[in-house]
Amino acid sequence: MHKTATKLADGRELFYYDQESGTFRDAVDERPLEPATSLSETRLDPVLGEWVTVAAHRQQRTYHPPAGECPLCPSRDGRLSEVPAADYQVVVFENRFPSLTPDSAAHVTTQDEPLRTRRPGTGRCEVVCFAPDHDASFADLDEAKARLVLDAWTDRTAELSALPGVRQVYCFENRGEEIGVTLAHPHGQIYAFPFVPSRTARMIVRAEAHRASTGRNLFEDLVAAERASPERLVLRGEHWTAFVPFAARWPYEVHLYPNRRVRDLTALDEAERAEFPGLYLDLLRRFDRLFPAPVGSAPNRTPYISAWHQAPNDGGDELALHLELFTIRRAPGKLKYLAGVESGLDAFVTDVSPEAAAARLRAAAPDRP
Ligand SMILES: [Zn+2]
């Protein structure tokens, strides 16, 4: 992996990731861009003990632009985008409309009243473009390009974790309009949080309780148990295991763990990194096969969320790096909405049994050449 760092016209950082060393990236951002101001803050919900990020400035962000005005396509034919180069492989840059910003402390003061705890929304939000082709999807990448994305996620995790105030780095992809994606171009995002999000915090509590009661690690026990029983297993690699969780929340949900427990992406070894692209692409292609398109129509693209769970910088030693991949589609043309029970109480009801979902995902194997 070869990385080139540059800056956009408004001072934001941008990084090109290329497979070949010696790739020369010197295009200059020629847009007349003023630095954007951001008033991001985080507020602690005193009832639930969860942080909420308030980023009111994001209302002006780009919303479903026409394909010809996509800000994530390369800059070519006189059209200037967020990426100055006329072509790229994988590129990462700071979001122009971030939820969390490095300079929030300049605009937002800390408040420590028990019922009104407020902090600057210090952190960083980055955009990861997986490919220059506007109509591509992650599942269309070859293994070498998917590996390049993994290398970019890993590099960003290392760099963002080192920033002052950052406690957790979260790499994720939202795919599909049904998920609320506002730009069709294949891309993901990275959030560097100044707090430990509540899901991670709950996992830490559960893993610590498991250690206290069994003397063992929760995630190691979980992966060993799922590898040993075929019911919910989807893929069993040499270094990774993919399964539908016992208490899956979503119609189709798969968790992918390295067999050797590590804290975060930076701790994966070469054998694990080499096997990941093939397994992950296989999973994404299985998702796209769950709801086949009618003959003669465009190939089906299952909407999904793909989320990397990593341990916080400080603590969380019992956590295990893993990826959670799930779709909100439960049948062709039917979505699972988070309604009264889920949104009102965080109590999920799913109408696809996890074992049946696993069987369907096993049967959705991509054709082998
Ligand atoms: Zn595009």
Side-chain angles (χ1 to χ4, degrees):
M1 182 268 281
H2 179 69
K3 176 183 172 189
T4 310
T6 184
K7 288 212 167 144
L8 294 173
D10 57 4
R12 286 175 293 141
E13 286 191 298
L14 180 145
F15 308 96
Y16 295 102
Y17 295 87
D18 289 290
Q19 286 171 277
E20 307 79 18
S21 61
T23 311
F24 197 53
R25 301 285 185 191
D26 63 349
V28 174
D29 182 6
E30 288 165 0
R31 298 169 300 169
L33 272 191
E34 291 297 317
T37 47
S38 159
L39 298 170
S40 177
E41 61 181 69
T42 62
R43 298 184 181 189
L44 185 66
D45 178 337
V47 176
L48 292 176
E50 294 179 355
W51 289 97
V52 174
T53 301
V54 181
H57 60 279
R58 274 170 53 84
Q59 291 294 0
Q60 296 102 40
R61 72 187 187 273
T62 315
Y63 191 74
H64 294 298
E69 294 168 25
C70 173
L72 310 186
C73 277
S75 290
R76 42 170 92 125
D77 306 325
R79 203 190 57 81
L80 303 177
S81 75
E82 286 281 68
V83 187
D87 197 12
Y88 62 81
Q89 293 184 350
V90 172
V91 69
V92 176
F93 57 87
E94 288 183 79
N95 196 323
R96 180 152 167 86
F97 303 100
S99 304
L100 300 158
T101 61
D103 64 345
S104 285
H107 309 283
V108 177
T109 49
T110 290
Q111 178 175 308
D112 269 326
E113 295 170 31
L115 300 181
R116 291 176 186 165
T117 302
R118 181 207 320 263
R119 297 272 182 278
T122 308
R124 195 149 133 156
C125 295
E126 298 185 339
V127 176
V128 185
C129 297
F130 300 140
D133 176 4
H134 184 81
D135 297 314
S137 179
F138 199 113
D140 300 327
L141 301 182
D142 61 22
E143 289 195 23
K145 290 279 167 33
R147 167 65 190 257
L148 193 57
V149 176
L150 173 65
D151 289 343
W153 283 331
T154 307
D155 177 68
R156 300 317 303 148
T157 297
E159 289 211 340
L160 294 172
S161 298
L163 293 181
V166 168
R167 295 192 64 194
Q168 188 172 14
V169 177
Y170 177 47
C171 308
F172 64 100
E173 178 189 2
N174 298 325
R175 206 281 289 271
E177 278 188 31
E178 297 94 331
I179 299 286
V181 175
T182 53
L183 296 171
H185 197 105
H187 73 288
Q189 300 182 63
I190 303 174
Y191 274 34
F193 283 103
F195 55 85
V196 177
S198 72
R199 236 174 112 91
T200 306
R202 296 208 300 275
M203 286 185 199
I204 293 171
V205 169
R206 294 290 297 170
E208 286 174 349
H210 188 84
R211 173 72 72 185
S213 64
T214 67
R216 294 189 307 273
N217 177 268
L218 171 64
F219 297 95
E220 289 171 358
D221 280 2
L222 187 62
V223 173
E226 294 297 344
R227 273 180 83 80
S229 88
E231 279 185 298
R232 287 175 300 278
L233 212 51
V234 178
L235 290 176
R236 204 157 87 141
E238 190 183 346
H239 302 287
W240 296 79
T241 302
F243 57 89
V244 178
F246 177 71
R249 287 169 170 71
W250 300 96
Y252 294 92
E253 173 174 353
V254 172
H255 294 189
L256 176 63
Y257 281 80
N259 297 337
R260 180 181 67 98
R261 181 169 64 92
V262 297
R263 294 175 53 82
D264 58 35
L265 289 164
T266 67
L268 291 173
D269 66 22
E270 180 49 38
E272 290 153 351
R273 310 178 71 74
E275 194 185 44
F276 172 80
L279 290 179
Y280 184 51
L281 290 168
D282 186 337
L283 286 177
L284 293 180
R285 291 167 190 167
R286 282 170 197 262
F287 266 59
D288 277 347
R289 285 168 168 255
L290 282 173
F291 311 105
V295 177
S297 54
N300 174 66
R301 297 292 197 187
T302 299
Y304 65 75
I305 290 173
S306 176
W308 278 109
H309 290 261
Q310 311 202 73
N313 293 348
D314 45 347
D317 295 335
E318 293 284 334
L319 284 188
L321 168 76
H322 67 282
L323 182 137
E324 299 189 3
L325 171 69
F326 57 89
T327 180
I328 61 170
R329 185 174 284 167
R330 57 193 171 85
K334 288 182 182 159
L335 300 182
K336 159 87 179 162
Y337 288 104
L338 296 192
V341 180
E342 292 85 2
S343 293
L345 276 184
D346 281 348
F348 272 71
V349 179
T350 178
D351 41 27
V352 179
S353 95
E355 292 73 25
R360 283 210 59 206
L361 284 162
R362 283 194 298 271
D367 294 328
R368 296 286 170 200

